[in-house]
């Protein structure tokens, strides 16, 4: 639904106002590089032509490898070779990659950094994002109820040291003064239903400071074009009938544009001159 273009345009708007902005993608299929015209890695990279904007991609494989090293390094100094081998085996499972991606996410979210005024996360599609944002509560609950092994999360002794970091991340996500959730959708019934379901799931996680962005809203440019008028009416009707919890959110509408969202000029034009 154009969430990456919205994230890029938002970051550019803030950067053009002189704010120091870090744009981070947690989407394994991100095309942030193409849209901004710069090769990105797992460290902040300045965006050419925008002095106060940097961007980065969280590489799941690199994050998993770094995470394994940190967790194993936090095991007690008297750990046996068997303990280390068990820990390494636990951290080799598929779900460790998702845990590691959140660990990177948490380090940025929980940090009291003076380097950035705003950090914008371009997250993966809905299901992956809900799992990602559910991890702090799941992690904390696991630590409270388990004092032995920790499956793909790693050895309990190592994880206990990460607890404060995850609590800080959860606090940041739940604080409306620090975090705003932007739900990006289209003027389509199915998309709006998914957005409403996502809004409810995020609310249940304590992420209540939400704003709705309806992207690609079609407006007929010629009154005599019956097909265009019908398309416009279809979108407006979907918006008028959206689920009540979604309709109650603050909302911005972004018109449909006839150009690709690649390059700084196109991204700036997405919101228009008056945004």
């Amino acid at each position: 639904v154009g969430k990456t273009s919205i994230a890029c345009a938002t970051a550019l708007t803030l950067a053009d106002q002189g704010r120091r902005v870090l744009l981070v993608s947690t989407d394994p299929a991100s095309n942030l590089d193409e849209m901004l015209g710069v090769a990105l890695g797992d460290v902040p990279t300045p965006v050419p032509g925008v002095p106060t904007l940097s961007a980065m991609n969280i590489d799941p494989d690199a994050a998993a490898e770094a995470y394994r090293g940190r967790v194993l390094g936090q095991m007690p100094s008297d750990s046996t070779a068997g303990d280390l081998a068990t820990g390494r085996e636990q951290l080799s499972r598929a779900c460790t990659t998702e845990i590691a991606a959140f660990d990177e996410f948490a380090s940025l979210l929980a940090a009291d950094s003076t380097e950035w005024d705003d950090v914008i996360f371009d997250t993966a599609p809905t299901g992956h994002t809900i799992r990602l944002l559910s991890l702090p509560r799941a992690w904390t609950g696991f630590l409270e109820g388990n004092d032995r092994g920790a499956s793909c999360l790693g050895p309990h002794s190592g994880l206990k040291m990460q607890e404060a970091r995850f609590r800080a991340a959860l606090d940041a996500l739940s604080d409306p003064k620090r975090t705003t959730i932007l739900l990006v959708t289209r003027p389509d019934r199915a998309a709006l239903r998914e957005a409403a379901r996502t809004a409810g799931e995020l609310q249940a996680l304590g992420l209540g400071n939400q704003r709705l962005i309806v992207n690609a809203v079609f407006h007929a440019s010629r009154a005599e074009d019956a097909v265009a008028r019908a398309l416009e009416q279809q979108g407006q009707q979907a918006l008028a009938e959206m689920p009540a919890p979604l309709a109650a959110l603050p909302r911005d509408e972004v018109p449909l544009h006839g150009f690709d969202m690649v390059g700084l000029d196109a991204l700036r034009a997405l919101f228009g001159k008056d945004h």
Side-chain angles (χ1 to χ4, degrees):
V1 294
K3 63 180 182 57
T4 300
S5 60
I6 293 293
C8 288
T10 301
L12 276 172
T13 298
L14 293 170
D16 287 343
Q17 295 170 358
R19 297 184 67 82
R20 299 162 300 167
V21 182
L22 176 62
L23 176 58
V24 184
S25 176
T26 63
D27 187 348
S30 172
N31 62 337
L32 208 55
D33 308 57
E34 179 185 6
M35 299 182 82
L36 294 175
V38 59
L40 300 177
D42 56 3
V43 295
T45 300
V47 175
V50 192
T52 60
L53 175 61
S54 294
M56 62 181 287
N57 285 322
I58 293 180
D59 181 327
D61 294 332
E65 186 58 37
Y67 175 79
R68 290 184 192 99
R70 284 196 300 274
V71 173
L72 291 174
Q74 291 171 352
M75 293 181 67
S77 57
D78 59 353
S79 297
T80 66
D83 293 334
L84 291 172
T86 299
R88 199 178 308 280
E89 180 183 358
Q90 291 171 339
L91 290 165
S92 297
R93 300 174 186 179
C95 56
T96 299
T97 300
E98 195 166 72
I99 298 292
F102 184 81
D103 192 52
E104 292 292 321
F105 176 82
S107 68
L108 292 166
L109 192 66
D112 290 326
S113 174
T114 58
E115 187 173 0
W116 314 107
D117 296 313
D118 303 282
V119 179
I120 298 174
F121 291 97
D122 173 33
T123 62
T126 303
H128 182 278
T129 298
I130 293 297
R131 290 196 304 274
L132 191 73
L133 296 180
S134 299
L135 286 174
R137 290 185 186 278
W139 181 305
T140 301
F142 179 87
L143 289 173
E144 290 174 349
N146 189 316
D147 61 358
R148 301 181 67 82
S151 182
C152 58
L153 295 173
H156 184 275
S157 57
L159 285 181
K160 196 66 180 175
M161 294 181 166
Q162 303 279 86
E163 185 176 8
R165 183 179 188 173
F166 267 62
R167 286 190 184 276
L170 183 58
D171 290 343
L173 284 170
S174 303
D175 186 350
K177 294 181 179 179
R178 298 179 62 188
T179 300
T180 300
I181 304 296
L182 300 180
L183 298 166
V184 182
T185 188
R186 286 181 180 268
D188 173 83
R189 286 186 175 85
L192 289 164
R193 283 196 300 270
E194 180 182 349
R197 183 168 57 252
T198 302
E201 291 177 348
L202 292 172
Q203 187 79 36
L205 291 172
L207 282 68
N209 187 25
Q210 302 174 10
R211 189 175 190 92
L212 181 67
I213 298 180
V214 185
N215 192 24
V217 178
F218 180 77
H219 297 287
S221 59
R222 293 188 300 172
E224 69 275 13
D225 189 331
V227 174
R229 290 202 318 273
L231 287 173
E232 179 179 2
Q233 183 179 6
Q234 184 180 50
Q236 292 302 316
Q237 186 171 354
L239 292 176
E241 297 173 353
M242 75 170 69
L246 206 61
L249 295 177
R251 184 169 88 208
D252 296 299
E253 295 185 9
V254 180
L256 178 67
H257 293 285
F259 50 83
D260 289 335
M261 293 299 154
V262 176
L264 301 183
D265 290 341
L267 291 167
R268 285 190 174 102
L270 177 61
F271 286 161
K273 295 180 180 179
D274 297 328
H275 186 84

